[in-house]
Amino acid sequence: MTCKDDRVRTEDVLAAIATGLWRWDNASGTVTLDGEAARLLGLPAEPVDLPEVAVRSRFHPVDWNEINGIVNLAVAEGTLAEARLRIMDEDGRVLRIVRSRSKPVEHRTAQGRVDYELIGTIQEIAEAQPGTTAAHTPITGDWRRSREAFLLDAGRALAEARSTAEVLRVAASLSMPGFIPDGLAVFGVSGDRLSIIGHHGHDPGDEGPFAEMPLETDYPAAEVVRTGRAIYLPSPEDYKRRFPATWPLAQRFGRTSWAFLPLIVAGRTMGAWMAAFKHRVSFSPDERSVLTTVARMLAQALQRAGVAESERELTTGLQRSMMPQLGPEIPGMKIAARYVPTGGGLQVGGDWYDMIPLPSGRFALVIGDVQGHDVRAAGLMGQLRIAVRAYASEGHRPDAVLSRASRFLAGLCSAQESPDDTAYSTDTDFQSPRFATCLYVECDPRTGLLEVARAGHPDPAIRMADGTVLMRPTAGGLPLGIVPDTDYPTTSFTLEPGETMMLCTDGLIETGGHDLDTGWARLRAILESDIHDPEDLEPRHLEKLADLLVQAVHGPSSHHTTGPLADRREDDIAVLLLCREGGGCGCEAPPLHPSRPARRTMLTVAQAEPERVAGVRQQIRELLHDWADAEQVDSAVLMVSEMVTNVLVHTDGDALLMAQAVGELGTRRLRVEVADASDELPHKRHPGEMASSGRGVLLMEMLADNWGVDPRGEGKSIWFELDERSKPGSDPLD
């Protein structure tokens, strides 16, 4: 006999006993049915290949969820997946009940992903009589596997719930194998009374008679809380017999069976859970086991959610109370700020900002970051912010403010690490030393003069009036609290009309897998893209720019973002923007006939910091980022490097660099001056082939369009000029 005859005979035999064959390929999402399997699913009785969604629509939704868990369990154990399924017609009525038996076969896809396909049979089974538990319970062979699959899914879902509302939603969606409740209620305890935490399957207001019910009431949930023991009521007669006083309250809902189970955590009954059924449930030992396990998981989930909600409420209130308001408006200046806590742990951390009025009539901007994302970091942040504000209000200069703050933080951390503290704490992170980075800027609103002191914090960024963004190098010292007596040198520069300064913590820069370089590049693109279009007369707002910067990291935000959006934070974020009005910076409406403003930068390179020559070169490249001729940019960088290095090598003073580019794109002029305190003028030398110096003047003659030396009262200024020119055949504006 041929194989074909064997195949036909097998199909004939299976069809005779109402059994169909099917093959479910999970990777491709297709299902292959023979004629009998198609008939059992309510389709024409002929072999067919269908997409998964077409077959799924024939199953009852509850059964579909159940079989998913069963299949996953069978895949993990390498056993058969057996399930009872209700087949639905197009009108949503149960057409028949079938039993599926299939063997999951794992295989690896071409992309290397492990997937599986199911190969098995479908057989029609007789439907149990209504009114019995069997009508709602899978066949005996499927019960254990259905129960285990359900409990795995329920445990995972409840463990992932992060609030009481989420826990209640998960509880309402649980489809227990074979006996699905249509009414749920979770009771809590408030003093000597029951409270309703949440319910499902009831109308709004139905909870009224049960809320604020005394625990002495003859009601099942109250007795469960008093005794800590579950109560099962399989029939209305059982309910009426055991709780006649409160039976009228339950009668109006038309339920047939009830289960009341204690919610116990750490040996304490914190409430009760009610599952009510319209159909008759006998509450067999297996069914009671499932209900008891769900009640335990539900109690633990509610406990975790309650603790988390209390912590979030406490820490959010703490954080908001610590974040300052920016205060009154300052003539000639606009300020905007944003703070976003991390989503890790308690959504609280050590980043902060502040604006401090000073006795001199100036004001100070402060931004900082205390190490850590916990309550201790938030506490230290609050104390450090108050200390910095106090030192600033006393009239101290920026360097003195940070020096005092460093001593304060070092002493504060030392006091918190006393032996008495460590004796009662096993949290090694809590006892570890903490430090803080900080940037302190004193601003004169009349002149735009900024005096900056920096303690291990990222440098500020300056967006010029034409949109060019420069990272402004500033002198700095160690983070606060590491070495109590640390000096913090001060850097001075002027914020010109139309310019905007950005101060931020490293969370804004490095979130999303970025380092300092790539993070700055991302922020620079946002800052430069937001420059005002001269043809658009609608003014830009600093608030909009602050939102754009935060959105560049993680999407839409508000002034203080919490909740699901904050859950995606890798680090706290604080950002401060200061704009000096005038020049079309976006703080005001632009002039009707705008002209391109000059670009300027000024830097000081100290004798003790020769490594900052590299920062000078980078500053010139950023200033000339859109210069038409790249070779001219290289020439300018080379000459500046030579001029600054000569000052450091041949004099005893610091080098002051001033660079300015003026004019329209393609026809601009760059002027660079490097001043020092030495009266010795440069002179032309004739270095030999192996000489390591003496070529500075030669370079100026070869590369600059103009150059010269201007003596000053004390010292001199060496300068050069470059006229922008386009490459041959190119458009200077292109």
Side-chain angles (χ1 to χ4, degrees), residues 546-707:
D547 285 334
L548 288 175
L549 289 168
V550 175
Q551 290 170 19
V553 176
H554 53 62
S557 72
S558 62
H559 290 226
H560 299 282
T561 302
T562 56
L565 180 62
D567 295 343
R568 298 197 294 272
R569 306 299 156 266
E570 300 172 20
D571 196 2
D572 306 326
I573 291 173
V575 59
L576 263 173
L577 298 175
L578 173 67
C579 175
R580 187 177 179 193
E581 294 181 341
C585 70
C587 304
E588 57 190 19
L592 293 179
H593 302 288
S595 60
R596 184 168 296 278
R599 297 180 188 172
R600 299 185 184 91
T601 186
M602 183 173 62
L603 293 174
T604 299
V605 181
Q607 281 282 334
E609 298 177 314
E611 68 277 2
R612 295 190 64 193
V613 176
V616 171
R617 291 194 291 264
Q618 181 63 27
Q619 190 85 164
I620 295 299
R621 290 196 179 277
E622 291 178 353
L623 189 74
L624 304 179
H625 69 95
D626 58 352
W627 201 261
D629 189 349
E631 292 183 359
Q632 282 189 306
V633 176
D634 292 338
S635 298
V637 170
L638 178 59
M639 288 187 286
V640 168
S641 181
E642 181 70 19
M643 294 161 66
V644 174
T645 302
N646 280 341
V647 172
L648 300 183
V649 172
H650 299 296
T651 75
D652 296 329
D654 301 340
L656 175 62
L657 168 74
M658 293 167 287
Q660 175 178 277
V662 297
E664 297 299 321
L665 291 177
T667 60
R668 289 169 292 185
R669 170 169 290 185
L670 171 70
R671 181 181 176 89
V672 178
E673 297 183 35
V674 177
D676 62 76
S678 173
D679 294 328
E680 182 180 353
L681 300 179
H683 55 275
K684 191 173 183 179
R685 299 168 59 185
H686 300 281
E689 184 176 339
M690 302 301 293
S692 59
S693 63
R695 297 183 174 86
V697 173
L698 294 176
L699 285 174
M700 306 281 278
E701 289 182 344
M702 293 174 57
L703 301 176
D705 292 320
N706 295 294
W707 74 279

Side-chain angles (χ1 to χ4, degrees), residues 449-465:
L449 178 65
L450 305 178
E451 296 183 68
V452 182
R454 186 170 59 87
H457 202 82
D459 283 311
I462 303 296
R463 186 180 74 174
M464 299 181 177

Side-chain angles (χ1 to χ4, degrees), residues 27-363:
S28 64
T30 59
V31 182
T32 301
L33 306 171
D34 70 359
E36 183 61 17
R39 184 191 69 80
L40 290 174
L41 293 183
L43 302 171
E46 56 187 24
V48 64
D49 291 336
L50 297 173
E52 176 181 318
V53 65
V55 176
R56 176 177 177 174
S57 66
R58 314 302 296 185
F59 298 146
H60 192 284
V62 173
D63 297 345
W64 169 258
N65 293 332
E66 181 178 309
I67 195 174
N68 268 339
I70 294 172
V71 170
N72 290 333
L73 189 63
V75 170
E77 295 181 347
T79 56
L80 287 176
E82 301 182 21
R84 171 185 176 277
L85 301 168
R86 284 167 287 183
I87 306 301
M88 313 297 293
D89 62 16
E90 295 179 355
D91 296 326
R93 296 188 298 267
V94 176
L95 185 64
R96 60 176 58 88
I97 299 176
V98 300
R99 179 174 59 185
S100 165
R101 290 182 175 179
S102 55
K103 173 71 174 178
V105 179
E106 282 192 14
H107 62 85
R108 190 173 295 275
T109 65
Q111 293 76 26
R113 180 167 60 100
V114 175
D115 220 313
Y116 61 86
E117 61 180 12
L118 300 174
I119 303 173
T121 62
I122 299 178
Q123 184 179 31
E124 186 171 5
I125 59 175
E127 186 174 3
Q129 293 298 318
T132 66
T133 302
H136 303 275
T137 304
I139 58 176
T140 303
D142 293 338
W143 166 256
R144 181 183 62 84
R145 197 170 303 279
S146 298
R147 179 186 61 188
E148 292 174 355
F150 161 75
L151 292 177
L152 285 174
D153 289 341
R156 181 169 56 250
L158 288 171
E160 293 173 354
R162 303 182 62 181
S163 68
T164 300
E166 289 183 19
V167 172
L168 295 175
R169 283 197 296 269
V170 171
S173 66
L174 295 179
S175 299
M176 285 179 279
F179 59 116
I180 303 171
D182 70 295
L184 299 172
V186 177
F187 299 88
V189 179
S190 179
D192 60 350
R193 293 179 176 272
L194 284 180
S195 61
I196 301 293
I197 297 177
H199 60 87
H200 174 72
H202 307 85
D203 294 329
D206 283 347
E207 71 277 8
F210 305 95
E212 300 297 321
M213 179 181 286
L215 290 179
E216 292 77 16
T217 304
D218 187 28
Y219 179 65
E223 182 173 323
V224 166
V225 172
R226 293 196 306 266
T227 64
R229 293 192 297 269
I231 294 175
Y232 298 98
L233 304 171
S235 67
E237 291 74 21
D238 293 318
Y239 198 125
K240 187 186 308 183
R241 176 177 52 81
R242 293 190 58 180
F243 301 96
T246 54
W247 163 245
L249 295 177
Q251 184 179 11
R252 64 191 180 93
F253 294 106
R255 305 278 166 52
T256 303
S257 299
W258 300 261
F260 292 83
L261 297 104
L263 299 175
I264 301 175
V265 177
R268 182 177 67 88
T269 302
M270 56 178 289
W273 172 48
M274 180 199 75
F277 306 83
K278 284 189 175 180
H279 58 269
R280 181 72 174 269
V281 179
S282 62
F283 298 116
S284 66
D286 282 333
E287 292 166 342
R288 295 188 184 194
S289 174
V290 170
L291 290 167
T292 300
T293 304
V294 171
R296 290 173 181 169
M297 294 189 295
L298 182 60
Q300 293 171 358
L302 288 170
Q303 172 76 359
R304 288 193 301 268
V307 171
E309 287 172 345
S310 298
E311 290 175 341
R312 282 196 294 270
E313 182 178 355
L314 172 64
T315 54
T316 299
L318 172 67
Q319 193 79 56
R320 287 178 175 171
S321 67
M322 290 181 174
M323 297 313 299
Q325 301 297 320
L326 290 179
E329 293 187 0
I330 300 172
M333 295 285 182
K334 294 293 184 181
I335 302 176
R338 294 290 184 272
Y339 171 73
V340 184
T342 178
L346 303 179
Q347 295 191 3
V348 68
D351 288 21
W352 91 96
Y353 63 83
D354 205 351
M355 174 185 147
I356 308 170
L358 302 178
S360 62
R362 299 181 174 187
F363 67 93

Side-chain angles (χ1 to χ4, degrees), residues 360-380:
S360 62
R362 299 181 174 187
F363 67 93
L365 293 179
V366 189
I367 193 165
D369 181 1
V370 176
Q371 175 201 12
H373 310 295
D374 51 21
V375 173
R376 187 188 178 207
L380 288 176

